[in-house]
């Protein structure tokens, strides 16, 4: 088995068999392949993915967001350990497009989730390094599929609660959880607008010691708020619970809530629907992202766009005319290439 | 002046002078030009727009949304009349991408806003007929500019509260208002998720007679909700007021709130910033929409895409590989055209 740790290239069969039998070293290498930006890895990565597709789809996909300081890592570690000890197989991934730039980004610090990482039933993978949201999202989605093929039945995707990445993560999971702090209200101002209306479950974390009472009060206030907001999942009013990742209080109940949510999704046929939407959404976002990238990367566009945009912002041209002229010149270029 | 009503073609100067001097017949014809899908109108429409750009930007742009039945038209008529009588010049536009399909769409019924339409200080224009959201949005934005050039200082853009069009309207206005009914909570379920987090002012309409008390109660509840949601405009907590378009109660106060909001935006430099965002946003959405449209309209893509997508949804291919192959074939086609 040690052969897989060496630097020899694996064959397609070795990758596929290794992933299917949850050989962790092979799984890690397959993910590295998927994350690689090298052209020579692309074809093999897609061969592996296509081969394992029949084994995918059998996990509960959970998105977890929250402002920095809400205790996401601590919660995920405590929650993941509890599930792993119950016999679940738990994978933890992250979407953090800025991780190449910012220090201390989510899951970037190897010492975090230390206990969970070492549990035989768990697999923790940091956010793919660098790149824009689109690239990171593709890599995370494909990693999610590889983990499913390796038999992980619970996949958590972590994201920071401050950017466009929440919409992306929401679009790849079945259940979306936001982690809050006890002091309700103010910290929400730091969150991206619109997140509250994508949430299936809210967990008020750090509900321990002297914080306990404030957390219960916040729960009542958030309950009122969600009662007035439209639900993202039909027939499911956002559930709010208080937890303490520190003492473990409420952690088991989280899983019960997720299971109840999952059952509701299944019973109302929303599960199948959301999975279909996930797939369609993925396909179109991949496609459109590539089309736009190719356009913006085209040398003529790269050189012309800043001036064209400036003219529009200065009121020298209507936006419609500027766009129309730019595209006309662009098409002449590519057709006469 | 009657010459403008005849079917003779106007010159660029006639259009520009007519719009600038608020000749309503010329303004209406310029809008028709902008709304035209005929290629021969395109160039003239953009010439007119480019010429009047220096006269644009001097209105307060207000977006108004709300579920069907919230009384948007009645409110806009009462509110618009009040402003017009005070000497303001008020234009009312609409964004309704489905208006070609659905009967009784917003502003589609010529008999609606009858009084306001006839007021010399007001100009009411229904949603451009047909087309997708992108097309309708472009036409509405350009109509907004023409109205500004014609000296309208308050422009209201109406939209139905159930679709993607709210995000579009939010991106073209300074102040975004949602109209609610007195019975709080339930009717929100019919609204598109995320709208509540884009709102600067909420008006609880039909707060008259026996509804009055329920409306005041709803106001208290919504106030609590907004206190917990992040603000879309920094330093401005969504203002909630009860109004009655029927009795006129609260209508004058609406304008005071908008003026206060406007002042806050100016004081905090958010006004300039939002206007700049509006322009940048417009440019990029126009550009990307055209690029994607050209791609999806390309005959090879039109014929291949359904099968490629089907393969992905059936798990026969990874999405990434399918997209990559499709784009490779597409580029070979266009470069060897």
């Amino acid at each position: 088995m040690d052969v897989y740790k060496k630097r020899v290239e694996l064959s397609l069969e070795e990758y596929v068999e290794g992933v299917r039998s949850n050989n962790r070293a092979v799984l890690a290498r397959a993910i590295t392949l998927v994350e690689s930006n090298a052209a020579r890895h692309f074809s093999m990565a897609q061969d592996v993915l296509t081969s394992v597709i029949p084994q995918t789809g059998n996990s509960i996909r959970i998105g977890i967001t929250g402002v920095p300081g809400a205790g996401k890592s601590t919660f995920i570690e405590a929650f993941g350990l509890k599930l792993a000890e119950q016999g679940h197989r738990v994978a933890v991934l992250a979407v953090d497009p800025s991780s190449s730039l910012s220090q201390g980004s989510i899951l970037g610090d190897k010492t975090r989730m230390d206990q969970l990482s070492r549990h035989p039933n768990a697999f923790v993978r940091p956010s793919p390094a660098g790149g824009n949201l689109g690239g990171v999202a593709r890599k995370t989605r494909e990693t999610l599929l590889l983990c499913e093929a390796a038999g992980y039945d619970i996949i958590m995707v972590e994201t920071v609660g401050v950017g466009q990445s929440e919409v992306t993560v929401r679009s790849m999971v079945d259940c979306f959880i936001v982690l809050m702090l006890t002091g309700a209200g103010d910290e929400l101002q730091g969150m991206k607008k619109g997140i509250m209306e994508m949430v299936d479950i809210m967990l008020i974390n750090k509900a321990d010691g002297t914080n306990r009472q404030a957390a219960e009060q916040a729960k009542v206030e958030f309950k009122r708020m969600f009662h007035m907001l439209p639900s993202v999942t039909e027939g499911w009013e956002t559930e709010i619970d208080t937890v303490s990742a520190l003492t473990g209080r409420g952690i088991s109940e989280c899983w019960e809530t997720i299971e109840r949510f999952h059952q509701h999704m299944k019973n109302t046929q929303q599960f199948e629907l959301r999975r279909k939407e996930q797939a369609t959404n993925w396909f179109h976002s991949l496609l459109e992202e590539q089309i736009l990238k190719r356009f913006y990367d085209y040398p003529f566009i790269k050189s012309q766009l800043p001036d064209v945009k400036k003219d529009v912002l200065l009121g020298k041209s209507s936006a419609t005319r500027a766009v129309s002229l730019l595209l006309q010149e662009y098409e002449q270029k590519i057709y006469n290439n």
Side-chain angles (χ1 to χ4, degrees), chain A residues 140-159:
Chain A
T140 305
R141 275 188 223 251
E142 294 183 348
T143 299
L144 188 153
L145 294 179
L146 291 174
C147 290
E148 284 184 342
Y152 291 93
D153 63 316
I154 297 173
I155 311 215
M156 293 190 249
V157 184
E158 183 187 357
T159 176

Side-chain angles (χ1 to χ4, degrees), chain A residues 15-17 19-22 47-59 61 144-153 155 275:
Chain A
Y15 272 119
V16 171
E17 277 318 302
V19 168
R20 280 186 186 149
S21 61
N22 188 29
D47 281 345
V48 174
L49 272 170
T50 302
S51 303
V52 302
I53 285 176
Q55 278 78 49
T56 64
N58 299 315
S59 79
R61 303 170 182 172
L144 188 153
L145 294 179
L146 291 174
C147 290
E148 284 184 342
Y152 291 93
D153 63 316
I155 311 215
R275 281 285 166 99

Side-chain angles (χ1 to χ4, degrees), chain A residues 26-283:
Chain A
V26 177
L27 176 61
R29 284 188 64 171
I31 295 173
T32 303
L33 207 61
V34 151
E35 290 179 349
S36 167
N37 292 319
R40 67 193 175 91
H41 293 147
F42 180 81
S43 178
M44 178 64 97
Q46 297 308 317
D47 281 345
V48 174
L49 272 170
T50 302
S51 303
V52 302
I53 285 176
Q55 278 78 49
T56 64
N58 299 315
S59 79
I60 300 189
R61 303 170 182 172
I62 303 168
I64 299 183
T65 190
V67 288
K72 288 189 293 297
S73 303
T74 321
F75 169 76
I76 292 172
E77 172 142 50
F79 185 50
L81 273 173
K82 178 84 74 177
L83 294 170
E85 279 157 19
Q86 288 172 5
H88 285 291
R89 304 207 28 231
V90 182
V92 180
L93 317 175
V95 170
D96 181 6
S98 64
S99 64
S100 59
L101 301 166
S102 64
Q103 295 290 330
S105 63
I106 51 172
L107 294 186
D109 186 340
K110 298 276 180 185
T111 61
R112 288 168 71 194
M113 302 197 195
D114 203 25
Q115 267 189 285
L116 185 61
S117 308
R118 285 194 313 251
H119 197 289
N121 277 351
F123 184 83
V124 178
R125 183 85 183 188
S127 183
N132 58 357
L133 177 57
V136 170
R138 173 184 72 74
K139 292 166 186 177
T140 305
R141 275 188 223 251
E142 294 183 348
T143 299
L144 188 153
L145 294 179
L146 291 174
C147 290
E148 284 184 342
Y152 291 93
D153 63 316
I154 297 173
I155 311 215
M156 293 190 249
V157 184
E158 183 187 357
T159 176
V160 286
V162 290
Q164 190 55 24
S165 54
E166 278 64 45
V167 181
T168 305
V169 171
R170 166 79 269 186
S171 79
M172 60 174 90
V173 299
D174 309 315
C175 176
F176 197 60
I177 298 180
V178 66
L179 230 71
M180 299 296 301
L181 289 171
T182 49
D186 283 351
E187 76 273 18
L188 262 172
Q189 297 303 326
M191 286 198 91
K192 179 90 179 165
K193 292 103 188 90
I195 290 184
M196 285 303 126
E197 285 163 78
M198 313 191 304
V199 167
D200 296 308
I201 298 170
M202 171 183 274
L203 299 175
I204 303 173
N205 195 14
K206 306 192 184 178
D208 40 47
T210 53
N211 270 331
R212 178 76 187 269
Q213 207 188 333
E216 296 299 333
Q217 180 56 32
K219 177 178 163 172
V220 172
E221 288 171 31
F222 278 120
K223 211 173 162 60
R224 266 199 215 109
M225 179 188 89
F226 280 115
H227 183 65
M228 307 196 79
L229 285 177
S231 301
V232 61
T233 302
E234 217 175 294
W236 175 270
E237 192 171 306
T238 304
E239 167 104 12
I240 310 150
D241 291 304
T242 60
V243 298
S244 168
L246 191 70
T247 68
R249 198 187 61 76
I251 298 288
S252 301
E253 287 82 353
C254 288
W255 179 242
E256 285 164 28
T257 305
I258 292 171
E259 277 193 310
R260 198 152 41 78
F261 173 78
H262 188 65
Q263 200 53 55
H264 170 77
M265 292 272 287
K266 289 268 190 189
N267 292 346
T268 55
Q269 276 78 50
Q270 289 182 84
F271 184 80
E272 280 307 305
L273 193 71
R274 196 164 281 177
R275 281 285 166 99
K276 218 174 213 166
E277 278 172 6
Q278 285 171 22
T280 309
N281 190 304
W282 184 17
F283 177 75

